[in-house]
Amino acid sequence: MADCNQQYTDLLEETLAARPLAHTYQLEQPLLSRLSTQLAHTEREYFKMNLHQSMAGNLVSLLYSLTFILPLAIGAWFIMQGHLTIGGLLTLNSAADRVTSPLISIVQYTNQLLAAKPLLMQIMQAPSNTLPPTIARTTDAALIQFSQVEFGYNQPLTTPLTFTIHSGERVLIRGASGSGKSTLLATLAGVLPSLGGELAFGLPNWQQHVAVVAQSPFLFHASLRFNLALGRPITDRELIDALTAVGLADFKRI
């Protein structure tokens, strides 16, 4: 149970950490679906654990009742037959309680240890949809237009920018460390809102056509398929073609 709960916690933290990536590639639905599946699994495991603990508790209560009532009933029968006195019955009942109480305690402690076993084992262990469509290539279509755009977090990092990027062009953004290059790209990808001016994109659903390679790539603790397709449905053929196109065909058997 502890392992299942830890898996859900790790997945929740990973989903929150992937918010910029999810916003850029519109992954909210696949990530939330993945998180909901793990949450449902965790809830089922909690239900089974609570059911087992409840059954064990009821069994302990039944055993305790039997060890009290059964000897008392047998003793009462012997008294009626004249084979036992009331004092003898009380003595036998006290002796039976001294025997059964430790046994019941052992059952209770065993149940608690079994419930806590996954957590104890973890403490003792050593630390150790479809693909986005391709951008249509046209001769001189304007893909990106900045008009007096200001970008940054609390205040603009540069003077207002005005420029146009056409289809097929390659643009280099150059500047000193901390000058705002990554912030500008985050604004282009839609991760950060602009502080002023007007942005225009030459394609509908612009974010479906954006690919951002971060300086520190974010990897999900999931399969190679999930990281490549970002949770979207994809065929084996499409996956192999994508790996081949970027020179990673050797990974097609993973």
Side-chain angles (χ1 to χ4, degrees), residues 85-160:
T85 63
I86 295 179
L89 174 61
L90 294 176
T91 302
L92 290 175
N93 189 62
S94 177
D97 183 68
R98 289 179 178 274
V99 174
T100 55
S101 292
L103 295 177
I104 293 175
S105 297
I106 291 174
V107 174
Q108 291 176 329
Y109 291 142
T110 301
N111 182 46
Q112 294 175 1
L113 288 174
L114 290 176
K117 181 181 177 181
L119 181 59
L120 293 175
M121 294 299 295
Q122 184 177 0
I123 294 175
M124 295 174 64
Q125 285 179 352
S128 50
N129 298 328
T130 57
L131 288 174
T134 304
I135 295 179
R137 296 296 181 181
T138 57
T139 55
D140 57 355
L143 293 180
I144 303 173
Q145 289 182 335
F146 269 39
S147 179
Q148 296 294 307
V149 173
E150 298 177 330
F151 64 95
Y153 292 92
N154 297 321
Q155 58 184 9
L157 294 178
T158 66
T159 58

Side-chain angles (χ1 to χ4, degrees), residues 3-235:
D3 291 340
C4 187
N5 187 56
Q6 185 63 44
Q7 289 174 3
Y8 173 72
T9 302
D10 292 342
L11 187 59
L12 178 60
E13 292 178 351
E14 182 180 78
T15 302
L16 293 175
R19 284 178 298 173
L21 187 67
H23 186 83
T24 300
Y25 293 103
Q26 297 180 324
L27 302 177
E28 289 84 356
Q29 190 57 42
L31 293 183
L32 288 177
S33 176
R34 180 170 173 246
L35 191 61
S36 298
T37 301
Q38 182 61 39
L39 178 59
H41 175 66
T42 304
E43 289 177 343
R44 289 193 298 269
E45 292 300 317
Y46 264 116
F47 175 79
K48 290 193 293 185
M49 183 187 71
N50 292 333
L51 179 62
H52 293 163
Q53 290 182 339
S54 178
M55 293 174 60
N58 292 333
L59 179 60
V60 169
S61 299
L62 179 61
L63 289 176
Y64 186 80
S65 299
L66 289 176
T67 56
F68 177 78
I69 296 175
L70 190 59
L72 188 62
I74 295 175
W77 184 82
F78 276 109
I79 290 175
M80 294 175 61
Q81 298 297 320
H83 300 299
L84 187 65
T85 63
I86 295 179
L89 174 61
L90 294 176
T91 302
L92 290 175
N93 189 62
S94 177
D97 183 68
R98 289 179 178 274
V99 174
T100 55
S101 292
L103 295 177
I104 293 175
S105 297
I106 291 174
V107 174
Q108 291 176 329
Y109 291 142
T110 301
N111 182 46
Q112 294 175 1
L113 288 174
L114 290 176
K117 181 181 177 181
L119 181 59
L120 293 175
M121 294 299 295
Q122 184 177 0
I123 294 175
M124 295 174 64
Q125 285 179 352
S128 50
N129 298 328
T130 57
L131 288 174
T134 304
I135 295 179
R137 296 296 181 181
T138 57
T139 55
D140 57 355
L143 293 180
I144 303 173
Q145 289 182 335
F146 269 39
S147 179
Q148 296 294 307
V149 173
E150 298 177 330
F151 64 95
Y153 292 92
N154 297 321
Q155 58 184 9
L157 294 178
T158 66
T159 58
L161 298 180
T162 298
F163 62 84
T164 301
I165 299 177
H166 295 86
S167 176
E169 289 184 336
R170 296 182 180 182
V171 178
L172 171 66
I173 302 174
R174 186 174 61 181
S177 178
S179 60
K181 300 185 298 297
S182 299
T183 307
L184 174 60
L185 290 177
T187 304
L188 278 171
V191 177
L192 290 176
S194 63
L195 300 179
E198 182 178 352
L199 288 79
F201 301 105
L203 291 171
N205 301 320
W206 166 253
Q207 290 178 338
Q208 295 183 8
H209 304 276
V210 173
V212 178
V213 181
Q215 185 174 357
S216 299
F218 185 92
L219 292 177
F220 292 96
H221 290 84
S223 63
L224 174 62
R225 175 185 292 272
F226 185 91
N227 277 280
L228 289 176
L230 297 176
R232 298 186 176 100
I234 181 175
T235 64

